Amino acid sequence: MRMIGLIAVSLLAAACTQSVGGDAEPSAPSGSTGSLPSSTAAAPSTGGAPAAGSAIADVIKWVEAGTPADPGEYRVAFRDGVSTELADDIAFTAASGAPHGVTQCITDTAFLDGALTCLVDLDSPPPPPNEGEGLWKPGWTEFSGSAMQVGARHGDPGPFVNGIGAELPEGQSLAFGDFRCRSDASGLLCVNYAFRSAMKISSAGVTPFGCLQPTTAPIDVGEMFSC
């Protein structure tokens, strides 16, 4: 792993707060300066999110059916009332499928070549591997398109050092780099066009689509999939 991180995160919703583990919880600023973008828009209904085993073409079609969100509203991270511009990176939160649950996602072009890193509380987390150093984070997921890692040991915030992003409302889709993600009540589904792969991440688990197949994981990673 090129990152070792202990995450401290919070839900940005007005009435609910969640920490995914750690010592501090980032918070969104109040007032008009640095406030989060509006989350009132909704997508047209196109049926439920694709199930495990769905063809990648169907997954892409469903994700693209979401109402497009403005990427410019997701180039800032919020932590403890401070906002940080992310330049070429994207940060956002989305529903996790659990009551009041949230998935946090962020890119890191400087160290992860634009891969998407997400963190979610899992209903039935896998046990930690016997080897490796750092705190076990079963919901830590890295998705590059050609590979996906689920569960890892970390000891510092990694790409979440500046906090977390604004909410991507249910039914909206967000395009950035080779990715497009759509938020849904059942979880977040992201596709990578370069490799025609996809993942769905929610409290129920992380599901691969397309060319992603199980492979041997590094000693500090729970599960590994690659094309």
Side-chain angles (χ1 to χ4, degrees):
M1 298 290 297
R2 286 172 287 176
M3 300 183 306
I4 300 178
L6 172 62
I7 302 303
V9 291
S10 69
L11 174 61
L12 300 179
C16 306
T17 301
Q18 170 188 344
S19 173
V20 191
D23 298 324
E25 296 183 352
S27 58
S30 59
S32 59
T33 302
S35 59
L36 303 185
S38 171
S39 59
T40 57
S45 175
T46 57
S54 296
I56 188 63
D58 293 335
V59 175
I60 293 174
K61 181 179 179 180
W62 186 86
V63 170
E64 291 180 342
T67 301
D70 180 5
E73 294 185 340
Y74 298 91
R75 298 194 180 278
V76 60
F78 303 92
R79 185 185 185 95
D80 299 329
V82 177
S83 61
T84 301
E85 296 293 332
L86 298 178
D88 295 329
D89 285 311
I90 288 283
F92 62 95
T93 63
S96 72
H100 314 309
V102 66
T103 297
Q104 298 98 14
C105 294
I106 195 167
T107 62
D108 190 339
T109 54
F111 296 100
L112 290 177
D113 197 26
L116 182 64
T117 299
C118 297
L119 185 62
V120 65
D121 274 337
L122 297 175
D123 293 337
S124 301
N130 294 327
E131 300 182 72
E133 299 180 355
L135 184 64
W136 172 238
K137 307 298 293 183
W140 184 288
T141 303
E142 292 180 13
F143 178 41
S144 66
S146 62
M148 184 175 74
Q149 300 178 359
V150 183
R153 293 186 181 275
H154 289 274
D156 67 54
F160 294 96
V161 65
N162 293 317
I164 58 178
E167 177 191 9
L168 179 65
E170 294 174 21
Q172 290 198 11
S173 67
L174 178 64
F176 51 97
D178 291 328
F179 296 92
R180 182 182 288 273
C181 295
R182 177 176 171 179
S183 180
D184 183 70
S186 65
L188 178 72
L189 210 157
C190 296
V191 301
N192 180 279
Y193 291 102
F195 291 91
R196 289 183 63 80
S197 61
M199 73 165 182
K200 181 180 179 182
I201 181 169
S202 71
S203 60
V206 183
T207 303
F209 296 91
C211 59
L212 294 172
Q213 298 296 321
T215 188
T216 303
I219 61 172
D220 56 350
V221 169
E223 295 179 303
M224 181 83 178
F225 302 85
S226 62
C227 292

